[in-house]
């Protein structure tokens, strides 16, 4: 859809989707980690994972949860850099927005952060050791700069992952959720149209808080058997279409198809371009993972 709008005169290209490194999500969370202990909730968890940027439309998730019964905890986790003004400003904006709707909030301070003054006033620090006192439940829990262990824990307890950006590129979060067997509620535009199968691995919604709230309610109200079936369908879809193995097979198929065509400058350039894309994607993935 986006390609046709931007390049109306060009033929639709063959698409090789980015891949999810599935093995990174096979590790069980360490529940003895104090940074995980502070995330516990007795409520049903609805999870939003996104950088703290305004274009991610996380306020839509807060508006949707505000329409639900108070037995739900929305966890807003994502990348947060104290050196990026938009990150620090938008976290405070989202916190204030939730409170303006009458929702209770808490912000978990990053363990390594030395910029506590940039966090909302409701922040609490992760203790060095597990505190036997259980923190009271809140309606919205903010987790800036979450760790890999926190991410794996949240995906293991979430009943639903909500993905709010409109006209987003492919989007890795729905793939993370589906591989973790968690149904996804996402905006019916951009990448989620290619990753989320409506009513099978989750629901695609209009960019409207009421529509999102209705879809989240359907996931939360689903019988356990149906909920597990949606999760299993999503995981199998990721393995078959968005894993590293699937990515390698698709790239190989594209290169083989080009090699079968008559040799020409365009074919050679196509192969070189494909190799460049593969190398660039791998480099960006490694940088995002390890740096």
């Amino acid at each position: 859809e986006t390609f046709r709008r931007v390049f109306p005169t060009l033929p639709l290209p063959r698409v090789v989707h980015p891949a999810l490194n599935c093995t990174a999500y096979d590790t069980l969370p360490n529940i003895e980690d104090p940074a995980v202990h502070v995330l516990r909730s007795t409520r049903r968890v609805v999870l939003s994972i996104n950088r703290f940027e305004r274009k991610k439309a996380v306020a839509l998730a807060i508006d949707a949860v505000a329409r639900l019964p108070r037995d739900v905890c929305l966890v807003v986790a994502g990348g947060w850099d104290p050196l990026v003004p938009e990150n620090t400003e938008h976290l405070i904006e989202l916190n204030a927005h939730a409170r303006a709707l009458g929702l209770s909030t808490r912000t978990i301070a990053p363990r390594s952060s030395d910029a506590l003054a940039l966090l909302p006033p409701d922040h609490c620090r992760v203790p060095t050791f597990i505190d036997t006192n259980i923190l009271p439940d809140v309606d919205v829990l903010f987790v800036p700069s979450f760790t890999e262990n926190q991410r794996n824990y949240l995906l293991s307890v979430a009943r639903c992952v909500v993905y709010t950006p409109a006209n987003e590129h492919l989007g890795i979060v729905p793939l993370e959720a589906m591989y973790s067997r968690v149904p996804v509620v996402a905006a019916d535009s951009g990448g989620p149209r290619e990753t989320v199968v409506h009513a099978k691995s989750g629901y695609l919604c209009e960019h409207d808080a009421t529509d999102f709230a209705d879809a989240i309610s359907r996931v939360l109200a689903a019988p356990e058997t149906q909920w597990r079936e949606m999760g299993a369908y999503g995981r199998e879809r990721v393995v078959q279409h968005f894993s590293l193995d699937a990515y390698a097979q698709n790239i190989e198929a594209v290169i083989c198809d080009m090699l079968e065509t008559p040799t020409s400058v365009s074919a050679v350039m196509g192969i070189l371009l494909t190799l460049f894309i593969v190398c660039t994607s791998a480099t960006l993935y490694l940088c995002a993972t390890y740096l």
Side-chain angles (χ1 to χ4, degrees):
E1 178 185 346
T2 302
F3 184 90
R4 289 194 181 98
R5 185 174 66 250
V6 178
F7 305 106
T9 61
L10 296 180
L12 191 65
R14 184 169 177 177
V15 176
V16 178
H17 293 103
L20 180 72
N21 181 14
C22 298
T23 58
Y25 300 85
D26 289 333
T27 304
L28 294 176
N30 174 19
I31 60 174
E32 300 301 321
D33 179 1
V36 162
H37 196 74
V38 296
L39 303 179
R40 295 178 309 163
S41 176
T42 61
R43 301 184 182 185
R44 295 175 294 174
V45 173
V46 174
L47 176 60
S48 168
I49 299 179
N50 270 303
R51 293 188 301 277
F52 284 92
E53 297 175 355
R54 296 179 181 94
K55 68 180 181 181
K56 299 299 184 180
V58 176
L60 178 60
I62 296 174
D63 292 339
V65 168
R67 290 164 164 76
L68 301 179
R70 290 296 180 267
D71 61 347
V72 172
C73 175
L74 172 66
V75 179
V76 178
W80 180 86
D81 187 338
L83 299 180
V84 178
E86 184 181 13
N87 287 179
T88 58
E89 294 167 2
H90 194 46
L91 172 56
I92 292 174
E93 290 168 357
L94 291 173
N95 187 284
H97 180 66
R99 287 179 170 269
L101 293 174
L103 302 175
S104 57
T105 65
R106 181 183 305 117
T107 303
I108 304 299
R111 179 176 285 174
S112 60
S113 176
D114 56 357
L116 296 179
L118 298 175
L119 294 170
D122 65 352
H123 71 263
C124 68
R125 305 193 68 167
V126 174
T128 305
F129 303 100
I130 291 180
D131 190 343
T132 55
N133 295 319
I134 299 177
L135 295 173
D137 284 324
V138 292
D139 299 316
V140 184
L141 180 66
F142 294 97
V143 190
S145 294
F146 60 89
T147 66
E148 181 175 323
N149 192 45
Q150 286 177 316
R151 178 202 67 193
N152 289 351
Y153 170 76
L154 290 171
L155 286 170
S156 74
V157 298
R159 297 293 294 181
C160 172
V161 167
V162 60
Y163 192 64
T164 50
N167 298 312
E168 185 78 340
H169 52 78
L170 182 75
I172 204 70
V173 172
L175 298 182
E176 293 175 323
M178 289 193 298
Y179 185 75
S180 302
R181 299 185 178 92
V182 184
V184 180
V185 172
D188 187 13
S189 64
R193 286 185 173 178
E194 300 184 45
T195 55
V196 179
V197 180
H198 184 69
K200 289 190 174 182
S201 64
Y203 295 99
L204 297 173
C205 307
E206 295 300 320
H207 215 241
D208 170 81
T210 300
D211 206 24
F212 263 80
D214 290 344
I216 294 170
S217 294
R218 287 199 295 273
V219 173
L220 297 180
E224 187 67 17
T225 301
Q226 181 186 351
W227 184 85
R228 290 183 180 276
E229 287 174 353
M230 294 180 74
Y233 182 93
R235 184 182 179 94
E236 183 62 22
R237 178 166 173 78
V238 172
V239 171
Q240 292 297 322
H241 299 285
F242 301 101
S243 63
L244 288 174
D245 286 343
Y247 180 76
Q249 292 169 8
N250 291 334
I251 285 289
E252 181 181 19
V254 170
I255 294 175
C256 289
D257 288 347
M258 286 193 292
L259 289 174
E260 290 175 0
T261 60
T263 303
S264 65
V265 174
S266 60
V268 173
M269 290 302 295
I271 294 173
L272 292 176
L273 179 59
T274 300
L275 292 174
F276 171 77
I277 292 172
V278 172
C279 294
T280 302
S281 299
T283 301
L284 291 174
Y285 175 78
L286 290 173
C287 289
T289 303
Y290 299 106
L291 296 184

